[in-house]
Amino acid sequence: MIISAKKILAKKELCFVFTFCASVIFFISFIFTLSVFVDPRGIFGTNLIKPVILTNRTEKLNVLGAKNPPPEIIIFGSSRVFEMDPLLVQKYSGWRAYNASVSYARPEEYLSMAKYIVNDLGIKPKIFLVGFSVGEFNNDDIDPQTIMSPLLRKYLPISRKQILIQGIKIFKESINPRYLRDIGLALFWRATSYPDEQVAFDENGYQKFDKNAPINRERISQSRPAVDLFLNLTNLNSERKKYFESFLKFSGDNNIEVIAFITPMPGISLQALRKQTQYETIYQELVALMNGLENENYFKFYDFSGTNKFNGDEESGFNDSTHPSHKNLDIIVKKIFGGKT
Amino acid sequence: MIFNSFIFLFAFLPVAFIVYWLLRGKQVRYLWLTAMSYIFYGYWNWRFIFLMLLVTTVDFALGLFIDRAVTSKKRKILLSLSIITNLGLLGFFKYFNFGLDALRIMSSTFGLDLALPILSIILPVGISFYTFQSMSYTIDIYRKQLSPTKNFLEFACFVSLFPQLVAGPIVRFREIVSDLENIDKLEKSKAMHKGINFFVIGLAKKVLLADSIALIINPMFNNYALLGTVGAWLAVLGYTYQLYFDFSGYSDMAVGLGYLFGFRFPQNFNSPYKAINISDFWRRWHISLSTWLRDYLYIPLGGSRLGNTRTYVNLLLTMLLGGLWHGANWTFVVWGGYHGALLALYKAFQKQYDQLPVALQKSLTFLLVIIGWVFFRSTDFSMANSLLRKMFNLKKLFDLNSNFWLATFSPHLWLMALLTAAFLLAHFTKNTFEIRWKVKLVHAALLGFIFVLALIFMNYKQSVFLYYQF
């Protein structure tokens, strides 16, 4: 390489180019090092500084592994089921429950978490209860926390090559302004104090929150986050459909019943989605898929996509444009398990 | 492929550069650069490389025939063939539907309802640039200002040269013929530092300034009906600087890449917002296009030699066509006509205007240019009209109780900071051609830092250059 460089560059130019390249390498390495050590999104698992986003995959699985006796119902899903109460599930079903929902969960998370729970933790629950929104079968990349987690990575239904490509992509993405902002934020909070609005969980995986907090109607009326779930989406992601089917098969093979339901969104969000996105087509496709799977598997499906489908609480049953609050989730638990007691 | 992409920066460019300098001999270097340029162009859509090859072959052959032709009539016919081929291709790909639309409007005014088809035509990137470049070659031979090259590879290399292929500067053959002829005599890159300086600064202009401004102002333009007076001014001012830093950034990168490969491309921007009158502005903005229009359109039309009225008409015509060159939309035509009218007015009142204080001349020129950009940015006349009304609704501007001031889009602090930086850079600092680039290691280290900063921003959101669409 040096011989080639001397052949193509005049001497003074060579020093200039060398300094330029050294400077580029230095600054890129500096940012990479900072990304790994500060780890503001909990991707690299460094754990030196508290991440600025939720890193609940490993934590929830570790708590679950230590449960004795183990739960008989495990709740999967994204932040949309954070407020599903395991005690209420236990009250109506008669079985111990644990809320293993994690942020940005998609079907690949249900699959890899289910496999880890059964194969590695040796827990064989009676039911996997899964809540997902229609938009969760979208084309988003697999969550970096799942790819970088040694617990879950091995159970991801993708090849090693794909994991490697995704890993490189995650490293590359760590050089962008938003990531740098998160590094700054993590360091700032570490130096000062962490903000009050931090999400924390009880021992049974249930989110800690103030049940008497006033309803934030402004957040509910902003339909942008709901619309973002469906951006450039015309139909369900075929890979995610396969992951969900694999999850059902794995559960069936282990005699674990799966109960799945579509989480509700406020009417105002559904209205915006029908107007601005292909929501209706995607929703119909999802319902048809679930109905088809219901016939073939040890699986029960409920469509609670709107409050009208389960006599939900439209007025005060939501935290924002896509997240049902404990009020609607409590009604859903009663709907699913009410008849069992 | 775009310059501000990782594939270009970390794969294409290093390979193109290293192999180029390791190769010895004219033919192999022409061949290598041409091949790489075709890969660069074909990366976007490989089908259109045949179009470029067609233009290259036709103009290369016609250049030779024009030179050999003895009679003036034959020379004219051959030149016409070249012009028809180039403008024919440009016309078809860029203006076919626009022409049909104009025909439809005209016929409907006469009560005729023509059922004309609308074709789905993809505009080949850079066609406006390379057809003008190739056409200037045959015109220069016709005018006996240039001897044709007998080396097809040399000509193919000239037409396709990737650093300036898709968005200029429009380089004429005679401007780089000496660099092309001496391509084998360069054994080592001696202007690498200049190349890196130009390229990195161009990249920073594009990524750090133009794209950052665009991120804020694009939603404002998308919702222009909601803008207040201040919001409209901020959006239009933002676009004024976005366009300048985007296009001059691209030109700087092109010049920088030229240096890396031993070519000296002409300056395309000379601090245009420092212009003291509209004529001065056009000597500073997109210089390669304005000189092209001057030499191949305005002067052949008679220039300023045929009296005042004819001069004004020539200016107007040249600028109307210059406007149309930017895109098949009436807003571009009006923008061109507006500048033609300003140039004519300046010619008519030059004596009086030049007596104004320089600061006032500069401010007035800048204001007139900004107004022009409203048409340039607007998708239709109703948008342009609405924006101009909002900008000049002075009654509401001073009405502190009216929320028309700031409706929906309050002045964005970040946008204000970007505009301040852009203002200082565009109006008060030296441009890249005025700076004397030295081979200093501190500069190299600083450039490294700026380059990484640009990479960080590129990683967030990549966007194509505005002039790619023309």
Side-chain angles (χ1 to χ4, degrees), chain B residues 341-352:
Chain B
L342 289 180
L343 285 168
L345 276 171
Y346 174 68
K347 278 265 179 202
F349 298 102
Q350 189 174 356
K351 271 187 186 171
Q352 294 87 329

Side-chain angles (χ1 to χ4, degrees), chain A residues 72-324:
Chain A
E72 292 152 304
I73 295 179
I74 293 175
I75 302 163
F76 286 141
S78 68
S79 53
R80 289 174 189 87
V81 286
F82 275 180
E83 293 184 13
M84 181 162 266
D85 188 355
L87 288 177
L88 196 70
V89 172
Q90 186 172 353
K91 183 182 162 192
Y92 284 100
S93 65
W95 292 325
R96 291 179 305 278
Y98 180 82
N99 190 329
S101 59
V102 293
S103 45
Y104 293 102
R106 299 286 185 269
E108 61 270 18
E109 263 90 12
Y110 323 147
L111 176 62
S112 53
M113 286 174 81
K115 284 189 173 177
Y116 177 76
I117 289 165
V118 174
N119 296 344
D120 293 34
L121 298 181
I123 299 173
K124 259 198 180 182
K126 290 186 168 65
I127 295 172
F128 283 138
L129 178 60
V130 190
F132 47 76
S133 91
V134 179
E136 284 173 23
F137 283 68
N138 63 8
N139 299 324
D140 285 353
D141 284 339
I142 296 176
D143 192 276
Q145 286 184 33
T146 305
I147 295 209
M148 300 300 271
S149 158
L151 310 182
L152 300 177
R153 189 167 52 208
K154 60 186 172 184
Y155 291 124
L156 274 178
I158 54 174
S159 67
R160 282 187 158 205
K161 192 181 156 194
Q162 281 173 298
I163 290 177
L164 186 71
I165 291 168
Q166 290 287 336
I168 292 168
K169 205 173 157 190
I170 290 162
F171 251 104
K172 180 183 160 273
E173 303 260 308
S174 71
I175 305 187
N176 85 41
R178 285 194 176 173
Y179 199 90
L180 292 187
R181 180 203 60 190
D182 288 350
I183 290 177
L185 208 58
L187 291 172
F188 176 74
W189 284 348
R190 173 83 170 76
T192 55
S193 63
Y194 289 92
D196 293 334
E197 210 181 299
Q198 289 264 311
V199 179
F201 298 93
D202 286 334
E203 274 298 291
N204 57 11
Y206 184 46
Q207 187 184 341
K208 287 178 180 168
F209 62 95
D210 178 8
K211 283 196 174 181
N212 298 316
I215 301 154
N216 191 333
R217 298 204 185 278
E218 201 190 326
R219 282 175 76 175
I220 295 168
S221 66
Q222 286 168 356
S223 54
R224 190 75 236 169
V227 172
D228 282 349
L229 272 172
F230 293 85
L231 274 187
N232 305 321
L233 197 66
T234 50
N235 45 23
L236 298 179
N237 180 291
S238 56
E239 294 299 311
R240 292 213 151 105
K241 284 199 291 192
K242 276 188 219 159
Y243 301 158
F244 191 79
E245 286 171 27
S246 303
F247 164 66
L248 288 185
K249 188 173 181 314
F250 175 79
S251 306
D253 291 347
N254 287 279
N255 296 318
I256 302 167
E257 184 188 359
V258 175
I259 299 174
F261 62 94
I262 300 179
T263 55
M265 280 198 246
I268 192 168
S269 298
L270 294 173
Q271 212 177 344
L273 286 171
R274 289 196 176 101
K275 208 172 160 186
Q276 298 174 41
T277 69
Q278 301 283 321
Y279 173 84
E280 197 55 43
T281 317
I282 300 158
Y283 162 72
Q284 294 294 351
E285 191 187 343
L286 182 66
V287 172
L289 172 78
M290 292 299 152
N291 286 335
L293 292 171
E294 200 175 14
N295 296 332
E296 297 164 17
N297 296 276
Y298 188 30
F299 169 50
K300 185 98 188 90
F301 167 66
Y302 295 91
D303 176 7
F304 297 140
S305 54
T307 48
N308 57 327
K309 310 243 175 177
F310 62 102
N311 287 329
D313 187 342
E314 186 67 41
E315 273 302 300
S316 54
F318 294 96
N319 291 328
D320 61 27
S321 62
T322 67
H323 290 78

Side-chain angles (χ1 to χ4, degrees), chain B residues 182-202:
Chain B
N182 294 314
I183 200 168
D184 58 330
K185 297 198 174 93
L186 283 166
E187 288 189 349
K188 287 179 179 180
S189 174
K190 287 174 183 161
M192 184 81 175
H193 73 285
K194 268 191 178 180
I196 293 177
N197 267 299
F198 267 90
F199 188 83
V200 172
I201 286 172

Side-chain angles (χ1 to χ4, degrees), chain B residues 248-295:
Chain B
S248 73
Y250 179 90
S251 294
D252 284 342
M253 290 164 89
V255 172
L257 289 171
Y259 277 124
L260 297 187
F261 291 88
F263 294 99
R264 289 160 296 172
F265 293 147
Q267 185 175 8
N268 213 18
F269 287 88
N270 183 16
S271 307
Y273 294 152
K274 289 179 188 168
I276 53 171
N277 56 59
I278 207 72
S279 181
D280 187 27
F281 173 77
W282 279 105
R283 283 193 295 272
R284 293 164 175 267
W285 179 273
H286 202 175
I287 301 166
S288 63
L289 175 69
S290 46
T291 51
W292 199 102
L293 291 171
R294 181 196 64 199
D295 296 345

